[in-house]
Amino acid sequence: MLVEHARMHAKHRGHEAMHAEMVLILIATLVVAQLLLVQWKQRHPRSYNMVTLFQMWVVPLYFTVKLHWWRFLVIWILFSAVTAFVTFRATRKPLVQTTPRLVYKWFLLIYKISYATGIVGYMAVMFTLFGLNLLFKIKPEDAMDFGISLLFYGLYYGVLERDFAEMCADYMASTIGFYSKSGMPTKHLSDSVCAVCGQQIFVDVSEEGIIENTYRLSCNHVFHEFCIRGWCIVGKKQTCPYCKEKVDLKRMFSNPWERPHVMYGQLLDWLRYLVAWQPVIIGLVQGINYILGLE
């Protein structure tokens, strides 16, 4: 017994130093990667957003096929097919008049579904932690798997749709001509035209619309209510589509029931780093450890 114990100590001698070295490599890689990503995002935001979106879209596919998550794969294919069609419509020139509404309706639908799915998943996880699943005779592992799966679906597709929506919003607004990422708009905005969709505004700001109202920003530019909400929430824009003045989201979403949607959008922006870049950084750390002979 003592001989085996001595052999075990001899086998693992020096592992403490090796583990400490691996932890230092992990911390150093995380810090350097974070600094590089921040600089890349600040200096070249367009390429950063495109690469991040591609990784968000493709990286989970690799793990899905490897781990045989066929249900996720089917949903991913359906989402990708419809989103590809919507993105194709949004990037065509000239832009069809009905396209902006189609784009915002699709991504707003996915946004709401992901929001509801994430909430249900979070509640299922909390109910399991408090043991409430036993009231329905559900095994803890089954309840936890159900909750985590829904939480993952909600957060993943929530992040993905916001990135695609932002890209489509830029393309459409630039094509319509009332918005430009840099420089002045190519068209003059009339008081009776919405700069987001380029369509006429028939309802006055002071009137109550049958289908939707008209909203006036603090810069006095007016928009269809659904358009400006889609621009701010779904398209992740917080400036006027025409003059780029800062939009007061608290004033726009004065209803307390609508504010969680804004906070949820901010949460999704934060989670993008974890989904898109964390697997790459972890893979880089493992590669460094392998090269240095650390196991």
Side-chain angles (χ1 to χ4, degrees), residues 41-221:
K41 185 177 181 180
Q42 290 178 348
R43 296 173 183 271
H44 306 283
R46 187 177 182 85
S47 63
Y48 171 84
N49 290 334
M50 291 299 293
V51 173
T52 302
L53 177 58
F54 179 77
Q55 288 192 189
M56 284 282 303
W57 190 41
V58 173
V59 169
L61 181 63
Y62 166 77
F63 292 103
T64 297
V65 175
K66 183 178 181 180
L67 300 174
H68 307 295
W69 293 344
W70 305 125
R71 180 173 52 191
F72 178 87
L73 182 61
V74 171
I75 297 175
W76 184 89
I77 291 174
L78 292 175
F79 171 84
S80 298
V82 178
T83 300
F85 170 74
V86 172
T87 304
F88 175 81
R89 290 282 300 272
T91 54
R92 295 306 94 192
K93 294 182 180 181
L95 192 68
V96 180
Q97 291 184 350
T98 57
T99 298
R101 290 299 183 93
L102 169 68
V103 171
Y104 285 124
K105 282 182 179 179
W106 165 248
F107 287 118
L108 185 60
L109 173 64
I110 299 299
Y111 182 85
K112 290 181 176 180
I113 292 176
S114 71
Y115 181 71
T117 304
I119 291 295
V120 173
Y122 175 77
M123 292 176 62
V125 171
M126 296 306 296
F127 283 174
T128 305
L129 293 177
F130 285 107
L132 298 179
N133 59 292
L134 300 177
L135 297 176
F136 302 96
K137 297 181 180 180
I138 302 176
K139 296 180 180 179
E141 54 271 21
D142 294 338
M144 187 62 74
D145 288 344
F146 174 76
I148 292 177
S149 297
L150 287 184
L151 197 57
F152 172 76
Y153 277 102
L155 295 176
Y156 172 71
Y157 286 107
V159 173
L160 201 58
E161 63 83 19
R162 277 175 67 81
D163 281 356
F164 272 110
E166 182 182 23
M167 180 182 68
C168 290
D170 282 336
Y171 270 110
M172 291 189 303
S174 299
T175 301
I176 292 172
F178 295 119
Y179 170 81
S180 175
K181 272 190 163 184
S182 59
M184 296 297 293
T186 58
K187 291 183 181 179
H188 174 71
L189 180 65
S190 171
D191 292 338
S192 60
V193 174
C194 173
V196 176
C197 66
Q199 302 301 304
Q200 288 287 325
I201 297 176
F202 298 103
V203 180
D204 192 76
V205 176
S206 58
E207 296 178 356
E208 187 74 21
I210 299 176
I211 299 177
E212 67 176 330
N213 298 324
T214 300
Y215 191 87
R216 185 189 298 277
L217 297 180
S218 57
C219 57
N220 287 327
H221 292 127

